[in-house]
């Protein structure tokens, strides 16, 4: 297996489901094309300074080309990817190829090219996030006033709406988009400063002008490599976004449980859920999101380790990056589009949401009853004891909280019937929904 053939080591799940656009960024053809564009950009700037004769520059631009198979063939002999690339290009250019890579070191090309590949991947991810944000916005607006139970520790807490649930993710993925924008900016740096970053055989001015041609900023200071805190920050943006996707998938998975069944991921015609049980409709898409998100999050640890290199450079980061950056960007792009499909085709069951709200005999009104008793003159401790005793009786199925509170002397002594009735009003939980939506621009 050639160490630069991403297809050889990429996991079968990612390979099978990767979207062509994001995967092609990491194919050898694209990588070597970027390398060649960078080498030619350097030659152009050097020619402007009279370091390369105009005739040789014309020859380089006319004849510079490569064949991936030939590069790999040479690499099998020299065991150095950049030398193999330069040799293969030189075979096509001829004598003028002596000016290609003049004054440069391998990492000048490799690291600058990696920045461009991460730019390309980041833009694809942002386009996907834009589409997902639109889907979540649609759900948030459609179900803005659809009551459902809010849960803490997995247990019924107080009512919310399904729209508010989706509005939360709408806002979270907007933050993911902002993080991705910042991450692209953080890695949009090139370097042409030589073997230890001291410009021993090339000038800082050439670096600046070449970076401008490539749409990059010149690295303010480097060693032989661009420092890997930039790549770790980029990887962090990927990992956090994967965490948000996992979080949303887990929410859907919990809401799809048989005992809850408030939403259900799309179940397509002809799909089968179990080899043994024909009734099964399992949340396999959401489970896949959770599983692959774990890989992306784990890759974050590798990116942090890659920051530590010996002195001005070693190569320990290189092999790891050839795995974690392609796999993570491709996988995240895939997960985003899986979630677009899931959320865009989600089955939502408002009637089940309302049924679940009513399932516990109005226990969720307990805080409102507590506060009303405190406002009526009881100490908080005494009011808490009264309401908790009533709540335990509701759990024991002796009646609803409203019924038991209406018959309790401690409650009736502080709250007349009309005041008690107002406490047990579902609508009061939704009085500030508009304010929440305004805060996030919906």
């Amino acid at each position: 297996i050639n160490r630069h053939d991403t297809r050889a080591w990429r996991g079968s799940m990612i390979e099978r489901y990767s979207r062509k656009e994001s995967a092609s960024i990491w194919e050898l053809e694209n990588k070597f094309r970027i390398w060649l564009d960078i080498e030619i950009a350097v030659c152009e700037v050097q020619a402007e300074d009279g370091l390369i004769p105009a005739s040789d520059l014309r020859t380089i631009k006319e004849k510079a080309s490569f064949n991936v198979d030939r590069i790999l063939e040479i690499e099998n002999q020299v065991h150095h990817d950049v030398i193999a690339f330069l040799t293969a290009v030189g075979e096509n250019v001829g004598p003028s190829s002596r000016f290609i890579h003049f004054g440069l070191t391998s990492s000048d090309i490799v690291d600058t090219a990696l920045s461009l590949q991460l730019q390309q991947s980041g833009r694809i991810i942002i386009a996907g996030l834009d589409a997902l944000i639109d889907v979540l916005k649609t759900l948030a607006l459609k179900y803005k006033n659809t009551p459902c139970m809010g849960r803490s520790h997995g247990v019924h807490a107080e009512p919310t709406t399904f729209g508010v649930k989706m509005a939360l993710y709408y806002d979270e993925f907007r933050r993911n988009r902002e993080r991705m924008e910042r991450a692209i900016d953080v890695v949009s740096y090139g370097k042409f400063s030589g073997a230890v970053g001291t410009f021993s055989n090339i000038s800082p001015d050439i670096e600046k002008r070449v970076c401008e041609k490539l749409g990059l900023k010149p690295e303010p200071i480097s060693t032989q490599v661009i420092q890997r805190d930039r790549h770790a920050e980029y990887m962090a943006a990927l990992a956090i976004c994967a965490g948000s996707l996992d979080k949303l998938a887990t929410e859907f998975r919990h809401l799809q449980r048989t005992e809850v069944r408030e939403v259900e991921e799309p179940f397509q015609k002809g799909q089968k859920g179990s080899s043994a049980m024909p009734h099964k409709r399992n949340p396999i898409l959401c489970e896949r999101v959770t599983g692959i998100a774990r890989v992306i999050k784990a890759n974050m640890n590798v990116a942090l380790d890659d920051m530590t290199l010996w002195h001005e450079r070693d190569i320990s980061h290189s092999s790891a990056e050839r795995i974690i950056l392609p796999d993570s960007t491709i996988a995240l792009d895939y997960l985003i589009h899986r979630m677009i499909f899931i959320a865009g085709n989600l089955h939502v069951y408002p009637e089940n949401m309302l049924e679940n709200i009513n399932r516990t005999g109005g226990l969720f009104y307990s805080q409102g009853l507590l506060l009303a008793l405190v406002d009526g003159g009881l100490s908080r401790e005494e009011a808490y004891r009264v309401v908790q005793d009533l709540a335990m009786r509701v759990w024991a199925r002796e009646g609803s909280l409203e019924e038991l509170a209406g018959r309790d002397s401690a409650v009736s002594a502080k709250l007349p019937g009309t005041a008690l009735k107002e406490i047990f009003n579902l609508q009061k939980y939704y009085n500030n929904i508009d304010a929440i939506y305004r805060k996030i621009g919906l």
Side-chain angles (χ1 to χ4, degrees):
I1 298 175
N2 184 280
R3 66 191 176 98
H4 303 303
D5 188 348
T6 59
R7 293 166 296 184
W9 44 252
R10 182 167 299 134
S12 59
M13 177 65 77
I14 303 302
E15 177 69 12
R16 179 179 176 189
Y17 291 108
S18 62
R19 292 183 353 106
K20 184 175 180 181
E21 185 181 14
S22 57
S24 66
I25 290 169
W26 301 102
E27 294 297 332
L28 295 179
E29 181 72 32
N30 186 58
K31 182 178 79 170
F32 291 141
R33 173 56 54 193
I34 294 172
W35 285 12
L36 187 58
D37 290 343
I38 293 171
E39 293 281 8
I40 290 174
V42 174
C43 289
E44 288 174 338
V45 172
Q46 289 175 328
E48 291 170 4
D49 290 352
L51 300 175
I52 298 177
S55 59
D56 288 295
L57 177 63
R58 283 195 299 271
T59 300
I60 290 169
K61 295 178 71 172
E62 288 171 4
K63 295 185 176 182
S65 61
F66 62 86
N67 177 276
V68 172
D69 290 337
R70 178 56 181 152
I71 295 173
L72 298 180
E73 180 184 0
I74 297 170
E75 187 183 357
N76 283 333
Q77 297 175 340
V78 301
H79 302 289
H80 193 293
D81 55 347
V82 176
I83 292 174
F85 166 78
L86 293 170
T87 301
V89 171
E91 290 174 347
N92 297 319
V93 173
S96 296
S97 65
R98 69 187 186 277
F99 293 109
I100 299 175
H101 205 70
F102 191 81
L104 302 179
T105 190
S106 297
S107 291
D108 290 333
I109 304 304
V110 173
D111 275 11
T112 302
L114 181 58
S115 296
L116 292 170
Q117 286 176 292
L118 292 174
Q119 270 191 353
Q120 292 173 354
S121 294
R123 292 185 186 115
I124 290 173
I125 289 169
I126 284 176
L129 286 173
D130 284 339
L132 177 56
I133 289 166
D134 283 344
V135 171
L136 294 171
K137 179 179 180 179
T138 298
L139 288 172
L141 293 174
K142 181 176 181 180
Y143 297 104
K144 177 181 179 180
N145 297 308
T146 301
C148 74
M149 180 52 67
R151 298 168 173 89
S152 57
H153 305 274
V155 177
H156 284 206
E158 289 187 345
T160 180
T161 75
F162 187 65
V164 169
K165 280 180 176 281
M166 295 299 98
L168 181 139
Y169 287 99
Y170 162 78
D171 198 45
E172 182 163 336
F173 278 99
R174 288 198 304 176
R175 293 196 297 276
N176 280 310
R177 190 193 191 284
E178 292 169 2
R179 272 187 286 268
M180 202 67 233
E181 288 274 15
R182 291 195 298 269
I184 291 172
D185 184 66
V186 164
V187 296
S188 292
Y189 285 81
K191 62 91 59 181
F192 299 95
S193 53
V196 294
T198 57
F199 298 96
S200 56
N201 293 289
I202 196 169
S203 74
D205 182 63
I206 289 177
E207 178 188 69
K208 179 176 179 293
R209 287 149 61 196
V210 173
C211 285
E212 287 174 354
K213 277 180 172 286
L214 299 172
L216 299 172
K217 292 161 283 191
E219 182 63 71
I221 183 171
S222 66
T223 58
Q224 189 175 115
V225 296
I226 293 173
Q227 299 306 288
R228 261 44 197 178
D229 62 290
R230 296 191 182 278
H231 305 77
E233 185 169 345
Y234 186 98
M235 188 66 229
L238 302 181
I240 293 171
C241 188
S244 294
L245 289 162
D246 180 17
K247 177 181 166 186
L248 179 54
T250 300
E251 178 71 19
F252 287 155
R253 288 167 63 198
H254 278 306
L255 294 179
Q256 186 166 334
R257 285 177 298 134
T258 305
E259 295 82 1
V260 180
R261 204 164 181 266
E262 294 181 1
V263 306
E264 190 175 39
E265 73 173 37
F267 192 84
Q268 301 174 76
K269 185 176 181 180
Q271 183 175 340
K272 293 178 173 59
S274 166
S275 63
M277 298 168 284
H279 73 277
K280 294 282 278 179
R281 290 162 64 121
N282 301 325
I284 60 169
L285 299 180
C286 287
E287 289 170 344
R288 189 184 303 159
V289 170
T290 290
I292 297 177
R294 291 171 183 167
V295 176
I296 300 173
K297 290 184 285 185
N299 286 346
M300 179 69 242
N301 291 325
V302 181
L304 292 172
D305 286 342
D306 281 347
M307 291 172 59
T308 306
L309 304 177
W310 286 16
H311 304 300
E312 277 59 57
R313 189 241 182 154
D314 67 57
I315 202 172
S316 60
H317 65 289
S318 177
S319 55
E321 286 177 354
R322 294 170 196 263
I323 298 172
I324 65 169
L325 294 177
D327 273 10
S328 297
T329 52
I330 294 169
L332 185 61
D333 179 55
Y334 167 72
L335 294 187
I336 289 169
H337 284 83
R338 281 291 79 190
M339 189 53 71
I340 291 169
F341 174 77
I342 294 166
N345 296 278
L346 192 69
H347 299 297
V348 180
Y349 304 119
E351 66 281 5
N352 289 351
M353 293 177 181
L354 191 58
E355 182 179 332
N356 285 332
I357 286 175
N358 296 324
R359 186 179 296 276
T360 60
L363 278 173
F364 59 85
Y365 291 112
S366 69
Q367 182 177 192
L369 180 58
L370 167 69
L371 296 176
L373 289 173
V374 170
D375 192 48
L378 288 184
S379 70
R380 183 176 180 85
E381 292 74 16
E382 178 62 16
Y384 195 102
R385 185 195 62 77
V386 169
V387 177
Q388 187 177 48
D389 287 347
L390 293 173
M392 295 307 105
R393 292 172 62 192
V394 176
W395 281 118
R397 298 181 183 272
E398 294 181 21
S400 71
L401 184 62
E402 184 175 9
E403 292 168 347
L404 295 177
R407 298 197 296 264
D408 186 89
S409 58
V411 173
S412 59
K414 297 295 181 183
L415 300 173
T418 53
L420 192 62
K421 188 172 183 61
E422 182 57 31
I423 293 168
F424 295 91
N425 177 9
L426 184 62
Q427 186 55 45
K428 73 175 185 178
Y429 291 97
Y430 306 121
N431 291 337
N432 292 308
I433 298 299
D434 285 343
I436 294 171
Y437 273 58
R438 285 194 298 270
K439 285 171 65 179
I440 60 173
L442 282 178

